Amino acid sequence: MRKIMLTAGLFLLLAGSSGAQVVGSDLGVYKDAVCNHFGTQMQTVDEVMGQLGRIDELPLAFTIAAGAGADPAAVAAKRAEGLDWRTVLADFGLGCDLFHLEIRGFLPSPIFQPIFDKFDADNPAQWASAPLTDMDLLNLANLKFITESQDYSLYRVVAMRDKGRGFTQIHQEVCNLQRNRAARDNTATAGF
C-alpha cells in the first residue's frame, strides 16, 4: 500500500512539474509575441514585466507607450506607483478610446458585451472618457493584442475568455491552432 502511495505521489509531483513547464513555455511564447508585435527587445519586455503585477498587463503597457510615443518602462513605472490604468492613460495624454474595438451588433459575451456597452455608439467623442475599469482595459488590450498579433478571430478569442481561460493560455491555444492550420494547408498542397 505504501509503495502505491509513493508511486502515486511521485506521479503527481512529476505531472505538476511538467505542467509548470508548459505554463512557463506559454509565458515565453506570450512574451515573444509581445516583442514581435510591439517591435521591441526581450530585455525591454522583461524590464516592463518586472514593474507590472501580471504578465497579461504587458499589452496594456506597450499599447499605451505606443499611443503616447513613450518608453514602455515609464508607463510600467506609473502603474508600479499604484495608479489605475485610466490614470496612467490620462498621465500620458490618452483616453480609453485607444482600446476601442469595432464590434457589429450585440456580442453574446458576459465579459465583453458589458465593456462594449460602456462605449456610447452614438457619441464617439465620449469614448476617451468611457468608464472602464482596470479589468475592462486588461480584457480589451489582450483581445486586441491576440487578435492582431496572431491574425485570429476576435469572436473566437472572446469565446475562449468567456470559458474562463487566461490570456497566456488563450494566446498559446491560438498559436497552436494557427500552427496546426498552417501544417494542414502545407500538407494539402505538398503534392502539387
Side-chain angles (χ1 to χ4, degrees), residues 12 15 22 55 86-87 111 117-118 139 152 167 172 181:
L12 290 174
V22 170
I55 191 169
R86 284 188 62 192
T87 304
I111 293 175
D117 287 344
K118 293 178 182 181
N139 279 308
Y152 195 72
F167 286 113
Q172 185 64 54
R181 184 177 78 186

Side-chain angles (χ1 to χ4, degrees), residues 7-120:
T7 304
L10 181 60
F11 174 77
L12 290 174
L13 181 63
L14 290 173
S17 102
S18 73
Q21 290 171 349
V22 170
V23 170
S25 79
D26 289 358
L27 300 181
V29 170
Y30 187 84
K31 286 171 42 177
D32 283 342
V34 169
C35 286
N36 293 331
H37 185 68
F38 292 102
T40 191
Q41 302 295 317
M42 184 59 74
Q43 179 182 353
T44 304
V45 171
D46 287 337
E47 179 184 349
V48 171
M49 184 59 224
Q51 297 182 68
L52 297 175
R54 316 165 46 141
I55 191 169
D56 57 2
E57 287 184 322
L58 286 170
L60 257 165
F62 279 92
T63 300
I64 293 169
D71 178 9
V75 174
K78 290 272 188 188
R79 179 67 172 160
E81 291 173 8
L83 300 178
D84 64 50
W85 281 113
R86 284 188 62 192
T87 304
V88 173
L89 277 165
D91 283 357
F92 284 94
L94 300 170
C96 294
D97 55 333
L98 182 64
F99 295 98
H100 180 266
L101 294 165
E102 195 63 42
I103 301 294
R104 295 185 196 130
F106 179 79
L107 182 66
S109 167
I111 293 175
F112 287 96
Q113 187 58 50
I115 298 170
F116 295 132
D117 287 344
K118 293 178 182 181
F119 290 104
D120 185 353

Side-chain angles (χ1 to χ4, degrees), residues 111-189:
I111 293 175
F112 287 96
Q113 187 58 50
I115 298 170
F116 295 132
D117 287 344
K118 293 178 182 181
F119 290 104
D120 185 353
D122 297 327
N123 194 355
Q126 297 293 327
W127 292 351
S129 61
L132 301 181
T133 65
D134 279 355
M135 188 54 71
D136 293 342
L137 289 165
L138 180 82
N139 279 308
L140 289 174
N142 276 281
L143 178 59
K144 186 174 181 168
F145 164 64
I146 293 170
T147 58
E148 289 177 0
S149 69
Q150 300 303 315
D151 190 25
Y152 195 72
S153 166
L154 175 139
Y155 300 99
R156 289 183 179 173
V157 173
V158 164
M160 290 178 192
R161 182 69 169 158
D162 285 339
K163 290 179 181 173
R165 292 181 178 94
F167 286 113
T168 55
Q169 181 184 13
I170 292 170
H171 182 266
Q172 185 64 54
E173 286 182 38
V174 169
C175 288
N176 291 341
L177 289 167
Q178 296 287 67
R179 193 175 319 119
N180 291 341
R181 184 177 78 186
R184 275 194 319 271
D185 291 348
N186 288 339
T187 302
T189 60

